């Protein structure tokens, strides 16, 4: 399906949009990959007693969330402060506000969990200064590149701040070094496939993964406060909640990485069907 036709298709209501694109044909048009066997191999021992049922539920919920994310991309610019309550509610925004009062920059971090971009757009509409770290759109396969470029442009227009590609290290530090009310959002569950000096091997959901140290290094260098956030969808309304801030960095980096990823593991265990990246648990042996 051409990119321009996709822009027309998403003008239909989401319930109809989902019914059309839940078929294999519809998924192939939107380049959504089915991951049944990969997910099955990645599911931790906690869920093995119901692996077949669990795998089917993961695939179904992943499809709904990916379609939602796709659909949201074309609608972010319609979101205004006046209509936010129709889409999202913040459970404990006081955690973010109290941290901002300390006069230090904030790094909000999450996983590919629910509709994780929507809260950033919502915070922007509420007057917060929000920047986002994203992969370079040129790093995506050719058949996805045009949509990813459009997605980044659309999100950046909807944010109060900028999108910074994850290969622009100096710009990342600069974004947190000026205005102390800056918020930088990072999605940190893109686990590495090969070990290097910038990653640590961590047990996560009863599997071993290679986690990048960059979020901890960035926080220590800029004296930023780390706050996890989660966008949990229920009946098409997002409930966004913030975890406990991490604002002391006396521990060694590897201990801090464990502390950073612990809230992600807790939320994924609580809401396993909201996480997109089950298949990445199988990326190392």
């Amino acid at each position: 399906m051409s990119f321009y036709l996709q822009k027309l298709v998403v003008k239909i209501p989401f319930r109809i949009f989902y019914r059309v694109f839940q078929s294999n044909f519809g998924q192939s048009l939107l380049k959504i990959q089915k991951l049944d066997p990969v997910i099955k191999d990645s599911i931790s021992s906690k869920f093995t007693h119901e692996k077949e049922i669990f795998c089917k539920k993961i695939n179904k919920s992943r499809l709904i969330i990916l379609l939602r994310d796709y659909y949201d991309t074309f609608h972010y610019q319609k979101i205004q402060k006046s209509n936010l309550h129709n889409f999202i509610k913040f459970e404990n925004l006081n955690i973010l506000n109290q941290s901002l009062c300390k006069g230090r920059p904030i790094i909000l971090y999450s996983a590919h969990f629910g509709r994780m971009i929507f809260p950033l757009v919502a915070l922007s509409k509420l007057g917060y200064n929000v920047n986002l770290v994203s992969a370079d759109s040129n790093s995506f396969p050719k058949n996805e590149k045009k949509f990813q470029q459009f997605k980044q442009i659309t999100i950046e227009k909807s944010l109060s701040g900028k999108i910074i590609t994850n290969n622009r290290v100096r710009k990342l530090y600069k974004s947190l070094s000026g205005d102390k009310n800056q918020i930088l959002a990072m999605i940190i569950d893109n686990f590495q496939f090969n070990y290097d000096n910038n990653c640590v091997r961590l047990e996560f959901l009863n599997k071993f993964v290679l986690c990048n140290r960059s979020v901890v290094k960035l926080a220590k260098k800029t004296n930023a406060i780390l706050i996890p956030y989660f966008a949990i969808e229920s009946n098409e309304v997002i409930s966004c909640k913030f975890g406990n801030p991490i604002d002391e960095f006396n521990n060694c980096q590897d201990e801090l990485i464990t502390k950073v990823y612990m809230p992600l593991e807790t939320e994924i265990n609580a809401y396993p069907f909201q996480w997109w990246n089950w298949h990445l648990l199988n990326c190392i042996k």
Side-chain angles (χ1 to χ4, degrees):
M1 181 188 293
S2 75
F3 174 66
Y4 302 101
L5 185 55
Q6 291 170 10
K7 292 176 76 171
L8 290 175
V9 166
V10 294
K11 292 184 181 295
I12 64 177
F14 180 74
R15 285 188 178 86
I16 300 173
F17 175 82
Y18 172 64
R19 286 175 186 170
V20 171
F21 287 96
Q22 66 181 334
S23 67
N24 288 338
F25 175 68
Q27 291 171 55
S28 67
L29 288 177
L30 295 182
K31 316 298 183 190
I32 293 176
Q33 182 185 3
K34 291 196 77 174
L35 296 170
D36 305 64
V38 184
I39 291 175
K40 196 177 292 184
D41 289 340
S42 301
I43 292 170
S44 67
S45 58
K46 175 179 176 179
F47 302 105
T48 50
H49 65 286
E50 52 181 13
K51 186 175 280 194
E52 292 291 336
I53 298 172
F54 186 81
C55 184
K56 287 179 181 177
K57 285 183 178 179
I58 285 289
N59 273 294
K60 184 177 180 181
S61 59
R62 180 178 180 273
L63 170 61
I64 294 171
I65 291 170
L66 287 175
L67 287 176
R68 263 290 181 199
D69 179 70
Y70 187 94
Y71 194 82
D72 283 348
T73 300
F74 293 87
H75 292 81
Y76 283 133
Q77 292 185 64
K78 296 179 181 178
I79 305 303
Q80 302 297 329
K81 185 176 180 179
S82 59
N83 63 8
L84 274 181
H85 63 279
N86 294 325
F87 308 101
I88 188 169
K89 60 178 182 178
F90 289 98
E91 287 190 14
N92 48 2
L93 196 54
N94 60 303
I95 288 178
L96 178 60
N97 292 334
Q98 288 169 6
S99 297
L100 283 168
C101 287
K102 295 181 179 180
R104 293 163 60 184
I106 304 293
I107 297 177
L108 286 180
Y109 71 93
S110 192
H112 286 82
F113 187 94
R115 292 155 70 188
M116 72 279 182
I117 300 300
F118 207 103
L120 308 178
V121 174
L123 287 171
S124 295
K125 302 304 179 187
L126 290 172
Y128 295 84
N129 195 349
V130 182
N131 303 282
L132 171 65
V133 179
S134 177
D136 188 339
S137 58
N138 291 316
S139 66
F140 287 88
K142 188 176 180 180
N143 61 355
E144 294 182 39
K145 191 180 295 185
K146 192 161 191 175
F147 174 71
Q148 291 299 331
Q149 288 171 341
F150 169 77
K151 183 177 181 178
Q152 288 192 5
I153 290 169
T154 303
I155 292 172
E156 188 164 43
K157 285 179 179 178
S158 306
L159 291 176
S160 49
K162 299 286 186 182
I163 284 186
I164 305 168
T165 54
N166 53 15
N167 55 359
R168 301 288 298 274
V169 178
R170 287 185 182 178
K171 204 166 183 179
L172 285 176
Y173 285 105
K174 189 177 179 181
S175 70
L176 293 173
S177 306
D179 183 357
K180 296 305 179 184
N181 287 323
Q182 290 281 351
I183 297 171
L184 183 68
M186 302 179 71
I187 307 301
I188 64 169
D189 63 335
N190 285 321
F191 305 122
Q192 295 184 204
F193 286 81
N194 299 304
Y195 182 83
D196 61 35
N197 291 333
N198 199 37
C199 68
V200 58
R201 193 170 186 259
L202 178 72
E203 188 173 359
F204 187 80
L205 296 170
N206 295 334
K207 297 274 187 174
F208 282 99
V209 294
L210 296 176
C211 301
N212 196 292
R213 290 189 175 100
S214 57
V215 64
V216 166
K217 290 169 72 174
L218 181 62
K220 290 182 77 170
K221 185 81 173 178
T222 60
N223 195 32
I225 300 173
L226 287 161
I227 304 176
Y229 78 96
F230 303 96
I232 301 160
E233 185 172 6
S234 177
N235 297 322
E236 299 183 20
V237 176
I238 300 165
S239 176
C240 180
K241 66 177 183 178
F242 300 92
N244 293 326
I246 301 171
D247 58 0
E248 294 183 5
F249 304 107
N250 298 325
N251 305 47
C252 74
Q253 277 194 12
D254 289 2
E255 288 177 356
L256 281 169
I257 285 289
T258 301
K259 193 173 181 180
V260 164
Y261 276 84
M262 198 177 297
L264 304 188
E265 186 175 38
T266 299
E267 291 301 315
I268 292 167
N269 274 323
Y271 302 95
F273 305 119
Q274 299 270 329
W275 191 41
W276 307 15
N277 275 356
W278 278 100
H279 57 291
L280 290 187
L281 290 182
N282 212 34
C283 64
I284 65 168
K285 303 298 181 185

